[in-house]
Amino acid sequence: MTEQRANEPEVTWLDPDTAQLRQPKSSHWEAPFLYLLFGRERSLLIDTGATSDEEQFALRGTIERLTSDWLRRNPVVFVRPYPLVVAHSHAHGDHIAGDALLRGRPGTTVVGTSPAEVIGYFGFRSWPDETVALDLGRRVIDVIGGPGHEPSAVVFFDRRTGILFTGDTVLPAHLYVRDLPQFRATIERLIRFRDDPTAAVNELRGAHIEMSTNPGVAYPAGTLHQPDEAPLPLRPRILDRVLAALDELTGAPGERVVRRRFIVVLDR
Ligand SMILES: [Zn+2]
């Protein structure tokens, strides 16, 4: 089910307790995807979008609407204010700009965006190799260290839906590698996580779509209209292809490895 009003995100319920939000292209060409996951004790918002102006992108209003809709459907959850944790796939501006709209909201914790704040909030003792659990109340999210695109990046795994929320690390777009050894270690970590028989990873959902349905062809940065964009979800086996693409890099700045569903760019 997809619904949209003027400055509001495109909202897609992935299951009754999981909403995918996409910031409209009209408010910012990056059009990032955000995710809102509801549990019995609190909800988790992954990323806040590229704009801190509610007029341009009604993040706060949308969170209020989706939360009250969900609470109406779940009368067993009676704690008020119903807590919200705002966390981030990573600290780049197009994923954290909306924090300002949610800071000060009743019952809301906005997790800081430095590596130290991320490590401290989630309780990593061995960053980035450890996986830590975040319990939303009968819904456990695994938080996996994910630096390489950006130093404070994490990947969230929702055991309920089997979705790995991969931010700007793995997505149908350019994979901008800022720190190659760390990025490679993150992909290897995600492969180990995927191959753990207890994990049951169904698909990956990242934070942008830049690829077209034409294999290996991306829309240029700044594109506002993407009529033939590739689908967002990626199969878990894409991780092997990302690792193989990283192996082709020789280390030259700006180097690119083009694949059907993504383009690796050595960005340093
Ligand atoms: Zn980024």
Side-chain angles (χ1 to χ4, degrees), residues 89-95 149-150 167-169 176 178 208:
S89 62
H90 65 295
H92 286 152
D94 54 322
H95 304 269
H149 170 72
E150 192 277 330
D168 281 4
T169 299
Y176 291 105
R178 303 266 154 83
H208 303 278

Side-chain angles (χ1 to χ4, degrees), residues 111 115-127 130-134 143:
V111 179
E117 288 168 309
V118 170
I119 289 166
Y121 180 79
F122 292 112
F124 283 95
R125 281 163 304 177
S126 172
W127 168 266
E130 191 182 11
T131 295
V132 296
L134 175 70
V143 188

